[in-house]
Amino acid sequence: MSVRIGNASGFYGDRFSAVRQMLTGGPLDYLTGDYLAELTMLILGRDRLKDAHRGYARTFLRQLEENLGLAKEKGVRIVTNAGGLNPAGLAGAIRDLASRLGLDVAVAQVEGDDLLPRAAELGLGNPLTANAYLGAWGIVECLNAGADVVVTGRVTDASLVVGPAAAHYGWGRGDYDALAGAVVAGHVVECGAQATGGNYAFFTEHELGAPGFPIAEIDADGSSVITKHPGTGGAVTTGTVTAQLLYEITGARYPGPDVTARFDSVALHQDGQDRVRITGARGEPPPSAVKVALNRLGGFRNETTFVLTGLDIDAKAALVREQLEAALSVRPTEIRWTLARTEHEDADTEQRASALLHCAVKDADPQVAGRAFSGAAIELALASYPGFHVTAPPSDASPYGVYTASFVDAKAVPHIAVLPDGTRVDIAPPGETVELSDVDEPALPEPFRGATKRAPLGTVAGARSGDKGGDANLGVWARSEDSWRWLANTLTVETFQRLLPETAPLPVRRHVLPNLRALNFVVTGLLGQGVAAQARFDPQAKALGEWLRSRYLEVPA
């Protein structure tokens, strides 16, 4: 009998009602919630600066207030990383909540990921947050001790699924293939509705509505079926699962603190309506170092957007740029101008006749990025191009964060399971490790030799993109063998950079995954210093794949 692990959150701010929907929609053994991301850690770090007792996802506590009794009644155990920077604080708040509700609930937590007190010792500088990505074995220890709710800090997203599966089946640290299968399943469900049709390239083919949240039915060998509760919106297909498998990965090896999963070994099969079976996952020992997410305050930023309407758009943009930069008494460290040519010739509405000129500034001094910039921009209102107006006036500067990743020897990172009775158990680091290396480039299929026509890439291929710090990841997959033979041989790095000129000056790496009929591109540095620094129009590269799909080239007819 498979263990059924559902996920009710893909980020801090996801659908509040999902916890109840998952608990009432059908049978579950475990319910997970993923609340953490690079940006979330910065937000929680700023929360903790204001109040040392904060630093966790308070939304989760409100969800439990409505649903903890229901979970206990149904025998569903909960595993979440909503503890953020303060898992002990959230665990304590849950115990208080259970007491107030008159519930007998065993609560445990996983600690050790917060390296901030040792940042200097470990060579991590002076960040605002410093959190190592822990694995699943602390969760396993807590569950084996009878915890109904396990709260963690920064574990890998997939660990929320690996932990329950490993505890259920009694896997050991050397069961790499089974662990890898659970990592793959965890990676699919970690982003919630993205596995059930949300943000899906071919969304017009399905009734989306409010897509249900995903469930991984995991077998003893690590193979799984991805599904959702009956009657919920969206769809689970090999396409929706492929899209999520490609999300924010690099190449064939997907490293984690417990196992390196081989994504080039995974096979997908439609196993009935809204059921996709995942088999074949192979695992290898993890690397010796664990990733550490670092956030620091980078300075202050401000922005405004000038609306340019009608004729002479380029001349209007040049004039206001020249005027504003000349008016700044102190030049900010960074000034970035972006002109979006959204205007249409002979337009039938004023909005369609207008282009948008965006100016963003950054500086270490909040006065330079704030009042000095805002004042200079607004003082141009009666002295610049005809039709001058802005979408919203600039305001005071706001602080921004900078994300970087570092690596620390796993033996230097504590991993502690705090059991329901308060016992603290040290989790040992991996006993066997293998340093990460690239796999040999797989052989490409024979080139496609059929008829072609000029059309958008997206007519024959799907894509999903996202961010890893300052880098962008973009996965592209084909839906037929003919399309795959064309895609693998046509979408080279050179073609990719021609279609997406913003990537042309940057390092781009292509990874080939024939088992998924997919390519994955990693663009180094496209996102600057990460999402919190707002380096570009789409700071998390969420729509980069859709831009690629909209570009024209000769595709199979």
Side-chain angles (χ1 to χ4, degrees), residues 57-77:
R58 287 171 288 169
T59 301
F60 174 71
L61 193 60
R62 290 194 291 116
Q63 288 173 306
L64 279 196
E65 192 158 358
E66 297 181 7
N67 297 292
L68 185 57
L70 181 61
K72 181 69 175 177
E73 174 190 327
K74 291 181 171 289
V76 177
R77 303 167 81 180

Side-chain angles (χ1 to χ4, degrees), residues 19-84:
V19 171
R20 177 162 289 271
Q21 183 184 75
M22 292 298 282
L23 289 172
T24 59
L28 284 180
D29 298 301
Y30 294 90
L31 182 63
T32 68
D34 180 8
Y35 291 79
L36 300 185
E38 293 161 2
L39 181 60
T40 313
M41 301 304 280
L42 175 67
I43 294 168
L44 295 177
R46 291 176 62 185
D47 278 352
R48 189 170 61 177
L49 282 178
K50 299 172 187 173
D51 183 345
H53 298 292
R54 287 162 64 171
Y56 57 78
R58 287 171 288 169
T59 301
F60 174 71
L61 193 60
R62 290 194 291 116
Q63 288 173 306
L64 279 196
E65 192 158 358
E66 297 181 7
N67 297 292
L68 185 57
L70 181 61
K72 181 69 175 177
E73 174 190 327
K74 291 181 171 289
V76 177
R77 303 167 81 180
I78 296 172
V79 181
T80 180
N81 60 17

Side-chain angles (χ1 to χ4, degrees), residues 130-155:
N131 294 83
Y133 285 79
L134 302 180
W137 297 109
I139 296 171
V140 173
E141 194 75 29
C142 292
L143 292 172
N144 286 343
D148 299 304
V149 180
V150 180
V151 174
T152 78
R154 179 70 280 188
V155 297

Side-chain angles (χ1 to χ4, degrees), residues 112-142:
D113 62 293
D114 192 349
L115 302 181
L116 189 62
R118 299 169 55 214
E121 168 201 338
L122 295 170
L124 302 175
N126 185 32
L128 174 65
T129 68
N131 294 83
Y133 285 79
L134 302 180
W137 297 109
I139 296 171
V140 173
E141 194 75 29
C142 292

